[in-house]
mmCIF file of all heavy atoms in Angstrom:
data_model
loop_
_atom_site.group_PDB
_atom_site.id
_atom_site.type_symbol
_atom_site.label_atom_id
_atom_site.label_comp_id
_atom_site.label_asym_id
_atom_site.label_seq_id
_atom_site.Cartn_x
_atom_site.Cartn_y
_atom_site.Cartn_z
ATOM 1 N N PHE K 98 5.913 -6.861 3.114
ATOM 2 C CA PHE K 98 6.289 -5.913 4.188
ATOM 3 C C PHE K 98 4.987 -5.448 4.934
ATOM 4 O O PHE K 98 5.052 -5.434 6.154
ATOM 5 C CB PHE K 98 6.907 -4.734 3.498
ATOM 6 C CG PHE K 98 7.431 -3.762 4.559
ATOM 7 C CD1 PHE K 98 8.070 -4.106 5.650
ATOM 8 C CD2 PHE K 98 7.267 -2.332 4.293
ATOM 9 C CE1 PHE K 98 8.619 -3.158 6.671
ATOM 10 C CE2 PHE K 98 7.788 -1.413 5.234
ATOM 11 C CZ PHE K 98 8.472 -1.915 6.304
ATOM 12 N N LEU K 99 3.901 -5.242 4.269
ATOM 13 C CA LEU K 99 2.734 -4.799 4.967
ATOM 14 C C LEU K 99 2.062 -5.917 5.569
ATOM 15 O O LEU K 99 2.082 -7.096 5.105
ATOM 16 C CB LEU K 99 1.706 -4.179 3.907
ATOM 17 C CG LEU K 99 2.230 -2.986 3.125
ATOM 18 C CD1 LEU K 99 1.220 -2.532 2.166
ATOM 19 C CD2 LEU K 99 2.630 -1.772 4.021
ATOM 20 N N SER K 100 1.427 -5.758 6.831
ATOM 21 C CA SER K 100 0.825 -6.840 7.528
ATOM 22 C C SER K 100 -0.406 -7.435 6.807
ATOM 23 O O SER K 100 -1.035 -6.638 6.239
ATOM 24 C CB SER K 100 0.601 -6.402 8.946
ATOM 25 O OG SER K 100 -0.601 -5.648 8.892
ATOM 26 N N PRO K 101 -0.596 -8.662 6.964
ATOM 27 C CA PRO K 101 -1.742 -9.347 6.265
ATOM 28 C C PRO K 101 -2.997 -8.619 6.762
ATOM 29 O O PRO K 101 -3.936 -8.440 5.850
ATOM 30 C CB PRO K 101 -1.772 -10.738 6.665
ATOM 31 C CG PRO K 101 -0.297 -11.038 6.975
ATOM 32 C CD PRO K 101 0.276 -9.744 7.542
ATOM 33 N N ASP K 102 -3.247 -8.250 8.013
ATOM 34 C CA ASP K 102 -4.254 -7.553 8.425
ATOM 35 C C ASP K 102 -4.595 -6.149 7.658
ATOM 36 O O ASP K 102 -5.666 -5.924 7.207
ATOM 37 C CB ASP K 102 -4.304 -7.189 9.877
ATOM 38 C CG ASP K 102 -4.940 -8.230 10.729
ATOM 39 O OD1 ASP K 102 -5.241 -9.388 10.303
ATOM 40 O OD2 ASP K 102 -5.383 -7.944 11.845
ATOM 41 N N TYR K 103 -3.511 -5.423 7.617
ATOM 42 C CA TYR K 103 -3.526 -4.122 6.834
ATOM 43 C C TYR K 103 -3.817 -4.329 5.437
ATOM 44 O O TYR K 103 -4.733 -3.647 4.914
ATOM 45 C CB TYR K 103 -2.219 -3.431 7.062
ATOM 46 C CG TYR K 103 -2.215 -2.119 6.359
ATOM 47 C CD1 TYR K 103 -3.085 -0.992 6.600
ATOM 48 C CD2 TYR K 103 -1.465 -1.974 5.212
ATOM 49 C CE1 TYR K 103 -3.149 0.170 5.974
ATOM 50 C CE2 TYR K 103 -1.381 -0.735 4.548
ATOM 51 C CZ TYR K 103 -2.181 0.302 4.868
ATOM 52 O OH TYR K 103 -2.268 1.479 4.173
ATOM 53 N N ARG K 104 -3.213 -5.311 4.817
ATOM 54 C CA ARG K 104 -3.518 -5.566 3.324
ATOM 55 C C ARG K 104 -5.053 -5.917 3.080
ATOM 56 O O ARG K 104 -5.644 -5.354 2.206
ATOM 57 C CB ARG K 104 -2.717 -6.707 2.812
ATOM 58 C CG ARG K 104 -1.176 -6.356 2.790
ATOM 59 C CD ARG K 104 -0.416 -7.378 1.847
ATOM 60 N NE ARG K 104 -0.610 -8.876 2.200
ATOM 61 C CZ ARG K 104 0.249 -9.487 2.986
ATOM 62 N NH1 ARG K 104 1.332 -8.846 3.479
ATOM 63 N NH2 ARG K 104 0.042 -10.719 3.175
ATOM 64 N N GLN K 105 -5.533 -6.643 3.984
ATOM 65 C CA GLN K 105 -7.009 -6.902 3.855
ATOM 66 C C GLN K 105 -7.904 -5.681 4.135
ATOM 67 O O GLN K 105 -8.849 -5.547 3.469
ATOM 68 C CB GLN K 105 -7.393 -8.096 4.799
ATOM 69 C CG GLN K 105 -8.748 -8.638 4.636
ATOM 70 C CD GLN K 105 -9.024 -9.147 3.217
ATOM 71 O OE1 GLN K 105 -8.255 -9.946 2.627
ATOM 72 N NE2 GLN K 105 -10.217 -8.670 2.646
ATOM 73 N N ALA K 106 -7.412 -5.017 5.024
ATOM 74 C CA ALA K 106 -8.181 -3.704 5.447
ATOM 75 C C ALA K 106 -8.189 -2.751 4.347
ATOM 76 O O ALA K 106 -9.242 -2.134 3.905
ATOM 77 C CB ALA K 106 -7.586 -3.047 6.636
ATOM 78 N N VAL K 107 -7.062 -2.653 3.591
ATOM 79 C CA VAL K 107 -7.009 -1.670 2.412
ATOM 80 C C VAL K 107 -7.977 -2.223 1.384
ATOM 81 O O VAL K 107 -8.634 -1.471 0.692
ATOM 82 C CB VAL K 107 -5.598 -1.584 1.877
ATOM 83 C CG1 VAL K 107 -5.480 -0.665 0.643
ATOM 84 C CG2 VAL K 107 -4.634 -0.996 2.992
ATOM 85 N N LEU K 108 -7.956 -3.450 1.185
ATOM 86 C CA LEU K 108 -8.916 -3.995 0.063
ATOM 87 C C LEU K 108 -10.307 -3.793 0.275
ATOM 88 O O LEU K 108 -11.162 -3.597 -0.496
ATOM 89 C CB LEU K 108 -8.570 -5.499 -0.125
ATOM 90 C CG LEU K 108 -7.247 -5.872 -0.717
ATOM 91 C CD1 LEU K 108 -7.005 -7.402 -0.606
ATOM 92 C CD2 LEU K 108 -7.203 -5.473 -2.225
ATOM 93 N N SER K 109 -10.665 -3.739 1.735
ATOM 94 C CA SER K 109 -12.072 -3.572 2.048
ATOM 95 C C SER K 109 -12.428 -2.144 2.270
ATOM 96 O O SER K 109 -13.525 -1.845 2.595
ATOM 97 C CB SER K 109 -12.348 -4.340 3.329
ATOM 98 O OG SER K 109 -11.598 -3.737 4.507
ATOM 99 N N PHE K 110 -11.477 -1.223 2.200
ATOM 100 C CA PHE K 110 -11.682 0.267 2.437
ATOM 101 C C PHE K 110 -12.527 0.803 1.309
ATOM 102 O O PHE K 110 -12.139 0.656 0.111
ATOM 103 C CB PHE K 110 -10.418 0.948 2.621
ATOM 104 C CG PHE K 110 -10.555 2.399 3.000
ATOM 105 C CD1 PHE K 110 -11.200 2.744 4.180
ATOM 106 C CD2 PHE K 110 -10.049 3.403 2.271
ATOM 107 C CE1 PHE K 110 -11.328 4.133 4.545
ATOM 108 C CE2 PHE K 110 -10.302 4.764 2.529
ATOM 109 C CZ PHE K 110 -10.872 5.107 3.830
ATOM 110 N N ARG K 111 -13.479 1.650 1.774
ATOM 111 C CA ARG K 111 -14.488 2.150 0.705
ATOM 112 C C ARG K 111 -14.324 3.656 0.637
ATOM 113 O O ARG K 111 -15.082 4.337 -0.105
ATOM 114 C CB ARG K 111 -15.902 1.824 1.111
ATOM 115 C CG ARG K 111 -16.125 0.316 1.248
ATOM 116 C CD ARG K 111 -15.773 -0.394 -0.020
ATOM 117 N NE ARG K 111 -16.107 -1.821 0.176
ATOM 118 C CZ ARG K 111 -15.519 -2.729 -0.595
ATOM 119 N NH1 ARG K 111 -14.484 -2.408 -1.433
ATOM 120 N NH2 ARG K 111 -15.854 -4.023 -0.371
ATOM 121 N N GLY K 112 -13.201 4.245 1.075
ATOM 122 C CA GLY K 112 -13.086 5.685 1.019
ATOM 123 C C GLY K 112 -12.002 6.042 -0.003
ATOM 124 O O GLY K 112 -11.640 5.256 -0.858
ATOM 125 N N LEU K 113 -11.474 7.209 0.094
ATOM 126 C CA LEU K 113 -10.401 7.709 -0.883
ATOM 127 C C LEU K 113 -9.040 7.170 -0.403
ATOM 128 O O LEU K 113 -8.689 7.291 0.780
ATOM 129 C CB LEU K 113 -10.408 9.241 -0.753
ATOM 130 C CG LEU K 113 -9.348 9.894 -1.723
ATOM 131 C CD1 LEU K 113 -9.407 9.497 -3.211
ATOM 132 C CD2 LEU K 113 -9.261 11.367 -1.447
ATOM 133 N N LYS K 114 -8.397 6.496 -1.251
ATOM 134 C CA LYS K 114 -7.044 5.831 -1.036
ATOM 135 C C LYS K 114 -5.838 6.718 -1.699
ATOM 136 O O LYS K 114 -6.001 6.876 -2.973
ATOM 137 C CB LYS K 114 -7.058 4.453 -1.477
ATOM 138 C CG LYS K 114 -8.087 3.476 -0.899
ATOM 139 C CD LYS K 114 -7.960 2.118 -1.480
ATOM 140 C CE LYS K 114 -9.146 1.234 -1.100
ATOM 141 N NZ LYS K 114 -9.102 -0.126 -1.693
ATOM 142 N N ILE K 115 -5.037 7.098 -0.848
ATOM 143 C CA ILE K 115 -3.854 7.967 -1.325
ATOM 144 C C ILE K 115 -2.504 7.161 -0.991
ATOM 145 O O ILE K 115 -2.449 6.767 0.196
ATOM 146 C CB ILE K 115 -3.931 9.389 -0.702
ATOM 147 C CG1 ILE K 115 -5.181 10.156 -1.119
ATOM 148 C CG2 ILE K 115 -2.612 10.072 -1.009
ATOM 149 C CD1 ILE K 115 -5.347 11.487 -0.509
ATOM 150 N N ALA K 116 -1.663 7.054 -1.830
ATOM 151 C CA ALA K 116 -0.317 6.615 -1.604
ATOM 152 C C ALA K 116 0.705 7.621 -1.812
ATOM 153 O O ALA K 116 0.733 8.341 -2.746
ATOM 154 C CB ALA K 116 -0.063 5.288 -2.465
ATOM 155 N N ILE K 117 1.585 7.667 -0.839
ATOM 156 C CA ILE K 117 2.798 8.493 -0.900
ATOM 157 C C ILE K 117 4.005 7.704 -1.244
ATOM 158 O O ILE K 117 4.231 6.733 -0.302
ATOM 159 C CB ILE K 117 3.040 9.385 0.139
ATOM 160 C CG1 ILE K 117 1.735 10.378 0.434
ATOM 161 C CG2 ILE K 117 4.301 10.309 0.103
ATOM 162 C CD1 ILE K 117 1.844 11.246 1.830
ATOM 163 N N VAL K 118 4.609 7.886 -2.307
ATOM 164 C CA VAL K 118 5.672 6.895 -2.762
ATOM 165 C C VAL K 118 7.033 7.641 -2.807
ATOM 166 O O VAL K 118 7.098 8.701 -3.431
ATOM 167 C CB VAL K 118 5.294 6.254 -3.990
ATOM 168 C CG1 VAL K 118 6.468 5.320 -4.417
ATOM 169 C CG2 VAL K 118 4.049 5.495 -3.968
ATOM 170 N N GLN K 119 8.014 7.042 -2.267
ATOM 171 C CA GLN K 119 9.507 7.430 -2.546
ATOM 172 C C GLN K 119 10.228 6.286 -2.980
ATOM 173 O O GLN K 119 9.736 5.071 -2.896
ATOM 174 C CB GLN K 119 10.153 8.059 -1.290
ATOM 175 C CG GLN K 119 9.416 9.435 -0.949
ATOM 176 C CD GLN K 119 10.251 10.133 0.222
ATOM 177 O OE1 GLN K 119 11.300 9.756 0.607
ATOM 178 N NE2 GLN K 119 9.578 11.213 0.713
ATOM 179 N N ASP K 120 11.440 6.297 -3.512
ATOM 180 C CA ASP K 120 12.189 5.233 -3.980
ATOM 181 C C ASP K 120 11.398 4.571 -5.056
ATOM 182 O O ASP K 120 11.382 3.228 -5.139
ATOM 183 C CB ASP K 120 12.546 4.327 -2.876
ATOM 184 C CG ASP K 120 13.399 4.878 -1.739
ATOM 185 O OD1 ASP K 120 13.932 6.003 -2.072
ATOM 186 O OD2 ASP K 120 13.505 4.474 -0.659
ATOM 187 N N ASP K 121 10.658 5.232 -5.962
ATOM 188 C CA ASP K 121 9.941 4.648 -6.997
ATOM 189 C C ASP K 121 10.788 3.730 -8.029
ATOM 190 O O ASP K 121 10.221 2.884 -8.599
ATOM 191 C CB ASP K 121 9.284 5.723 -7.950
ATOM 192 C CG ASP K 121 8.841 6.923 -7.167
ATOM 193 O OD1 ASP K 121 9.546 7.465 -6.362
ATOM 194 O OD2 ASP K 121 7.575 7.271 -7.246
ATOM 195 N N TYR K 122 12.075 3.867 -7.923
ATOM 196 C CA TYR K 122 12.933 3.171 -8.825
ATOM 197 C C TYR K 122 13.168 1.724 -8.339
ATOM 198 O O TYR K 122 13.679 0.730 -8.885
ATOM 199 C CB TYR K 122 14.324 3.850 -8.837
ATOM 200 C CG TYR K 122 14.846 4.225 -7.495
ATOM 201 C CD1 TYR K 122 15.513 3.300 -6.711
ATOM 202 C CD2 TYR K 122 14.708 5.572 -7.006
ATOM 203 C CE1 TYR K 122 15.936 3.634 -5.409
ATOM 204 C CE2 TYR K 122 15.133 5.873 -5.853
ATOM 205 C CZ TYR K 122 15.754 4.978 -5.020
ATOM 206 O OH TYR K 122 16.211 5.298 -3.800
ATOM 207 N N ASP K 123 12.705 1.337 -7.097
ATOM 208 C CA ASP K 123 12.974 0.044 -6.475
ATOM 209 C C ASP K 123 11.824 -0.883 -6.719
ATOM 210 O O ASP K 123 10.657 -0.559 -6.345
ATOM 211 C CB ASP K 123 13.163 0.360 -4.992
ATOM 212 C CG ASP K 123 14.021 -0.785 -4.343
ATOM 213 O OD1 ASP K 123 14.333 -1.777 -5.013
ATOM 214 O OD2 ASP K 123 14.251 -0.740 -3.143
ATOM 215 N N ARG K 124 12.009 -1.958 -7.390
ATOM 216 C CA ARG K 124 10.951 -3.023 -7.751
ATOM 217 C C ARG K 124 9.759 -2.224 -8.206
ATOM 218 O O ARG K 124 8.608 -2.471 -7.788
ATOM 219 C CB ARG K 124 10.657 -3.797 -6.428
ATOM 220 C CG ARG K 124 11.812 -4.537 -5.845
ATOM 221 C CD ARG K 124 11.370 -5.506 -4.740
ATOM 222 N NE ARG K 124 12.506 -6.244 -4.305
ATOM 223 C CZ ARG K 124 12.359 -7.352 -3.617
ATOM 224 N NH1 ARG K 124 11.158 -7.926 -3.256
ATOM 225 N NH2 ARG K 124 13.398 -8.030 -3.124
ATOM 226 N N THR K 125 9.952 -1.516 -9.275
ATOM 227 C CA THR K 125 8.828 -0.648 -9.843
ATOM 228 C C THR K 125 7.672 -1.412 -10.413
ATOM 229 O O THR K 125 6.514 -0.937 -10.074
ATOM 230 C CB THR K 125 9.504 0.273 -11.012
ATOM 231 O OG1 THR K 125 10.709 0.910 -10.518
ATOM 232 C CG2 THR K 125 8.483 1.301 -11.424
ATOM 233 N N ALA K 126 7.866 -2.598 -11.062
ATOM 234 C CA ALA K 126 6.709 -3.289 -11.357
ATOM 235 C C ALA K 126 5.900 -3.762 -10.297
ATOM 236 O O ALA K 126 4.650 -3.828 -10.356
ATOM 237 C CB ALA K 126 7.235 -4.568 -12.308
#
């Protein structure tokens, strides 16, 4: 779902990473 550019950017990001999650029950693994 996330664009390849964004995925690579997140991996290279050196700051604080925060995720807000809903629907945690969906594809939890």
Side-chain angles (χ1 to χ4, degrees):
F98 186 43
L99 303 177
S100 75
D102 263 25
Y103 176 67
R104 294 200 299 267
Q105 187 58 46
V107 177
L108 290 170
S109 69
F110 183 60
R111 302 307 181 201
L113 176 64
K114 301 179 188 180
I115 296 174
I117 301 175
V118 178
Q119 293 185 11
D120 302 340
D121 317 57
Y122 48 81
D123 203 357
R124 300 190 177 198
T125 310

